[in-house]
Amino acid sequence: MARPALTVALVLASPALVETCRPWLPANRYESVVLTVDPGETLAAVLGPRQDDFDAVVLEQSLLDAEAKEQLLAAGLLFPAVIVGDLKGQVEYHPEELHLPDDQLAQLGYNVDAAISRFLRQGRADGRQDDSSSSARAVSNLSDRLQERLGYLGVFYKRDPSRFLGSLPPEERGDLLLSLQRTYRDLLASYFSDPAAANQALESFVNTAFFSDLPITRTVEIHVDLIDEFWKQLSLEGHKHDFLQDYRLALLDVMAHLCEMYRRSIPPDLPLSGTASSRVRRPTDQLDASEESS
């Protein structure tokens, strides 16, 4: 049997959370490795001995404080990361990390792929100018290993069609759409009041939309349905709702980020004419096929 493409370390304090995450990391693509942090033990001590055994980490937010972050950076323990916890709009580990609340874990696999892509694209995970030599070497070694196995940005433009929305079983498809609705609700709720938190929600939504081949029409539908829900609630409570039209900016923001992901997903040496170009799917090309299958 072929080895899964990616090995993901689950570093989560709650055993229940581990069991919740595992179904959203399909065994044909991911091998999940559970790492337990015992009382009094540091994240650096847990991750250090196994740093060559996995390609990405899923970290519970409660395990990351300022001291844990500094210990990881000082030891050069930098990995593509998805942080599970509240959207606080702050960097918990390094700037290329992605965030998912625990009620949106149906998007976990897609965001692991996106976290690896971000890591490879940036070249180094913490984005600082004062990297220690051990940190720089660790990032370089992991980047080299990922590029050798996946190809540069391989997970970014070689999406897995079996994980597209239209290819999922009905129950899993419904769970994913519900999760995306929750993420979009988080985006709208903080869009004007907390831009940093909104950006974390936006990144999760766009990453999942890209890797799951979510039809553009479905994205618009999610936006319209939520705005309509807000409009009805405000009307019932006797509040003004004219300001809701301003949230069109959020939809435009999502579309702009999606377009940028599709632009980056096209290999730079791909010809733009002839038969090769016909194989490139632009954002609008996905509409009919995905919508029909869903």
Side-chain angles (χ1 to χ4, degrees):
M1 180 180 296
R3 183 173 180 267
L6 300 168
T7 302
V8 181
L10 300 178
V11 191
L12 305 167
S14 167
L17 193 56
V18 172
E19 295 308 311
T20 302
C21 286
R22 273 182 155 167
W24 302 114
L25 294 171
N28 64 331
R29 182 171 178 81
Y30 309 96
E31 179 183 356
S32 301
V33 177
V34 179
L35 300 182
T36 303
V37 182
D38 294 323
E41 195 173 20
T42 66
L43 272 179
V46 171
L47 292 172
R50 302 288 302 275
Q51 61 180 309
D52 294 328
D53 295 344
F54 45 83
D55 306 308
V57 297
V58 177
L59 295 170
E60 188 166 351
Q61 192 177 58
S62 62
L63 297 174
L64 282 164
D65 54 23
E67 183 179 3
K69 174 184 174 181
E70 287 305 314
Q71 290 173 346
L72 291 171
L73 297 180
L77 296 172
L78 297 167
F79 309 94
V82 177
I83 311 299
V84 178
D86 297 333
L87 300 179
K88 298 180 178 180
Q90 63 189 40
V91 175
E92 306 282 355
Y93 179 20
H94 60 67
E96 278 67 54
E97 70 195 25
L98 294 172
H99 291 253
L100 274 179
D102 58 12
D103 65 346
Q104 296 164 28
L105 291 174
Q107 304 174 56
L108 182 58
Y110 303 105
N111 276 267
V112 166
D113 284 358
I116 292 173
S117 296
R118 287 164 64 98
F119 188 96
L120 289 175
R121 190 169 65 244
Q122 293 298 328
R124 56 194 174 118
D126 64 353
R128 302 182 309 171
Q129 298 299 319
D130 58 343
D131 288 331
S132 67
S133 58
S134 62
S135 174
R137 284 197 301 270
V139 173
S140 177
N141 290 340
L142 179 54
S143 294
D144 289 344
R145 189 172 81 238
L146 289 170
Q147 290 182 38
E148 181 180 352
R149 287 178 53 193
L150 303 172
Y152 182 66
L153 296 184
V155 296
F156 203 82
Y157 60 81
K158 296 176 183 175
R159 299 176 299 167
D160 182 358
S162 69
R163 299 170 65 232
F164 286 177
L165 183 70
S167 301
L168 299 177
E171 183 176 356
E172 188 173 340
R173 186 188 313 152
D175 288 341
L176 181 59
L177 287 171
L178 180 60
S179 180
L180 283 165
Q181 290 166 1
R182 289 170 176 164
T183 302
Y184 205 94
R185 182 185 292 273
D186 288 343
L187 166 61
L188 295 180
S190 57
Y191 191 73
F192 292 111
S193 61
D194 190 347
N199 190 60
Q200 290 179 343
L202 184 148
E203 288 177 337
S204 294
F205 184 92
V206 169
N207 290 329
T208 303
F210 175 81
F211 282 103
S212 69
D213 204 41
L214 182 74
I216 297 298
T217 51
R218 191 64 69 88
T219 301
V220 175
E221 180 183 319
I222 290 172
H223 175 88
V224 171
D225 286 348
L226 283 171
I227 294 298
D228 187 54
E229 180 183 323
F230 294 160
W231 185 91
K232 291 177 180 177
Q233 184 63 35
L234 290 168
S235 296
L236 285 173
E237 296 174 357
H239 300 303
K240 294 182 178 180
H241 44 65
D242 293 346
F243 69 91
L244 290 176
Q245 64 183 344
D246 295 338
Y247 285 93
R248 290 177 296 184
L249 294 173
L251 180 59
L252 292 174
D253 214 354
V254 167
M255 295 303 182
H257 279 73
L258 263 177
C259 287
E260 179 63 10
M261 290 190 75
Y262 275 95
R263 185 189 69 80
R264 287 176 172 171
S265 74
I266 301 174
D269 58 347
L270 189 68
L272 296 179
S273 60
T275 57
S277 64
S278 66
R279 292 195 296 269
V280 181
R281 302 184 72 197
R282 300 166 297 169
T284 53
D285 292 337
Q286 63 177 322
L287 297 181
D288 295 337
S290 297
E291 197 68 37
E292 288 173 2
S293 57
S294 61

